Amino acid sequence: MRVGILTGGGDCPGLNAVIRAAVRKGERAYGDELIGFLDAWDGVRDRRTTPLTVESMRGMLPRGGTVLGTRRGSPFDTPDGVDQVKQTLHDLGIDALMVIGGNGSLSIACRLHSDHGLPVIGVPKTIDNDIEGTDLTFGFTTAVQIATDAIDRLHTTAESHDRVMVVEVMGRHTGWIATHAGIAGGATAVLIPEIPFDIDELCARLTRRHDRGRFASIVVVAEGAEPEPGTLEMEEKIYDRFGHVVLGGVATRIATTIAQRTGFETRVVQLGHVQRGGTPTAFDRVLSTRFGVAAIDAVHEQAWGKMVVLRGDKIELEDLTVAVGKTRTVDRELFDNVASHFFA
Ligand code: F6P
C-alpha cells in the first residue's frame, strides 16, 4: 500500500518515533511505500512530500520535534480545502492517511472519514495528555520529567533565598502536567484549569506554611488555570489566528499578587516550550513505537476512522469520534486523594 503520514498541531517528543515505527513495520512486514506530507495539511494541499524509508528514519527514535514539520490549520478552513485533500490523495495514489495529532488534527481526520469517506487512521499526540479515549498520550511523561527536573532545581534556590517560586507549566485545558510534576516535585500548591483557584486561600496557605517555619514554597500553575470568578482580575485574553487563546503569563499575575498580599519575596519561572523540546523519555519512546506499529497494522486491517489508544497496558483501536469535541480532564481521585494531601 501507499501510506501517507502527517503530523499536525503542536510538536511533541515521540513524533519521530511513531513515524519510524510505522515505516519500519510498513516497509519490512507489509512491503508498503510510505510518504510523508510536510507541514501537516499545508503539505497535503501543496503536494509537498518526502519519501519515508527505514534508511531515512535511521537515528530518529530519540530525536524530538518532527521530521515532517507541523502546522495548525485545517482543510475545512477554506471552501476547496477538502477537495484539494481528496485530489492529492487520488493523484499520488495514497491508499491510507495516518494523522498523528492532537484534538484538532484528530477532529479533522474524523470528519474527513465520516463525511467524506477518506481512509484515515489517527494517532493521538499531545504533551497535555488530554485526549479522550486513551489512558496516555506520548510526550506527556517527557514534559512531566522536564517540569519535575526544573522544580527539583528550584527548591534549592528557593530555600537559599526564602522565596516563593511560581512555576508555570503547559496545560491549556487540563492540569495533567501540573498535577504529575507537582506530586513528583513536592510542590506546595498546584493550580489547574479544572478547579478555579482562590488567590486568598493560596496566600493564606503560604502564610500558614511560612508561619510554621518553612520559608520557601513552590507553586505549580498550569498555563490555563483561572481564578474563581470575581476573585482576581486577569489580563484581557488575546487570540491567535486559529482562535486559540494565547496563554502564558498567569504565573506572573499570581506571583505579583502573592508578593503584594503576603510580603514574601516571589519569583516566576515560565517553562514554556522547553517542555516540548528535545528527546523523549524511554517510556514515551516505547509508547510511540507501539502506537506506530499499531497504526500501520490498523491501516492493513482497513480500520478507517479509528485511532490507536493505550488502555491499561494494551494498545487498542478506538473510534475517532470518541476524541472529538472532548477533553480528558485530570483524574479527580488522583488530585483530591493523592496530590492534595502532599500539597501543604
Ligand atoms: O497542546 C499542546 C500545547 O503545548 C499546549 O500545552 C500549549 O498551550 C500549546 O500547545 C502551545 O502552542 P504553541 O506552540 O502554538 O505556542
Side-chain angles (χ1 to χ4, degrees):
M1 288 173 90
R2 269 166 86 82
V3 182
I5 301 184
L6 67 82
T7 52
D11 73 343
C12 177
L15 284 167
N16 288 324
V18 174
I19 300 168
R20 168 186 173 270
V23 168
R24 279 181 103 88
K25 179 139 194 203
E27 193 177 302
R28 294 214 166 134
Y30 295 115
D32 291 337
E33 187 184 347
L34 293 111
I35 292 147
F37 286 103
L38 301 175
D39 302 332
W41 302 102
D42 291 3
V44 181
R45 184 193 58 213
D46 305 337
R47 300 185 188 192
R48 284 186 290 115
T49 62
T50 186
L52 293 170
T53 62
V54 171
E55 217 35 63
S56 72
M57 289 308 292
R58 223 172 265 294
M60 289 298 148
L61 172 63
R63 197 170 165 80
T66 162
V67 289
L68 296 177
T70 187
R71 294 283 183 280
R72 302 205 191 274
S74 158
F76 292 100
D77 290 345
T78 55
D80 54 355
V82 174
D83 287 338
Q84 287 170 338
V85 171
K86 286 183 184 168
Q87 199 61 50
T88 298
L89 298 189
H90 174 267
D91 292 352
L92 299 186
I94 303 286
D95 302 303
L97 183 62
M98 191 182 294
V99 176
I100 313 172
N103 274 308
S105 308
L106 296 177
S107 302
I108 296 166
C110 186
R111 262 180 91 183
L112 286 175
H113 170 255
S114 60
D115 298 354
H116 301 276
L118 295 188
V120 173
I121 297 291
V123 180
K125 157 259 42 158
T126 168
I127 64 164
D128 289 3
N129 198 37
D130 61 358
I131 296 180
E132 198 59 66
T134 184
D135 289 354
L136 274 178
T137 51
F138 65 86
F140 169 63
T141 74
T142 304
V144 169
Q145 190 60 55
I146 293 167
T148 303
D149 290 345
I151 294 169
D152 284 349
R153 288 175 185 278
L154 291 171
H155 272 291
T156 58
T157 174
E159 284 156 16
S160 304
H161 289 268
D162 295 344
R163 281 175 175 158
V164 176
M165 307 297 285
V166 184
V167 188
E168 184 174 308
V169 298
M170 280 189 169
R172 176 161 284 269
H173 305 293
T174 63
W176 286 102
I177 298 174
T179 303
H180 279 245
I183 295 171
T188 304
V190 173
L191 311 180
I192 61 175
E194 291 88 334
I195 309 173
F197 65 87
D198 178 340
I199 192 74
D200 289 331
E201 199 272 324
L202 176 63
C203 290
R205 198 186 322 173
L206 292 170
T207 303
R208 277 198 306 274
R209 177 179 156 85
H210 287 228
D211 286 347
R212 291 200 308 264
R214 305 291 305 175
F215 301 120
S217 294
I218 307 279
V219 176
V220 178
V221 50
E223 61 183 350
E226 304 238 17
E228 276 181 12
T231 56
L232 182 66
E233 210 173 305
M234 304 298 282
E235 287 191 4
E236 208 170 310
K237 290 194 165 100
I238 301 170
Y239 296 83
D240 68 14
R241 65 194 172 95
F242 302 109
H244 294 150
V245 180
V246 178
L247 294 173
V250 63
T252 306
R253 183 80 187 92
I254 291 168
T256 314
T257 311
I258 293 171
Q260 281 164 353
R261 297 196 187 173
T262 65
F264 300 144
E265 208 175 335
T266 306
R267 292 289 185 272
V268 177
V269 178
Q270 198 176 331
L271 290 180
H273 292 79
V274 168
Q275 295 158 96
R276 259 178 30 196
T279 192
T281 56
F283 181 92
D284 281 336
R285 294 181 201 186
V286 174
L287 182 59
S288 302
T289 300
R290 294 176 76 194
F291 273 1
V293 165
I296 199 75
D297 286 342
V299 164
H300 287 272
E301 287 160 24
Q302 304 198 3
W304 314 132
K306 304 270 185 194
M307 63 176 181
V308 298
V309 298
L310 179 72
R311 271 223 193 90
D313 61 357
K314 298 271 179 292
I315 305 291
E316 297 178 1
L317 292 178
E318 180 56 273
D319 282 349
L320 278 167
T321 49
V322 166
V324 174
K326 300 186 202 87
T327 303
R328 185 169 163 267
T329 52
V330 163
D331 178 357
R332 287 302 293 262
E333 136 72 21
L334 176 73
F335 196 87
D336 297 339
N337 294 336
V338 181
S340 57
H341 288 298
F342 296 94
F343 305 151

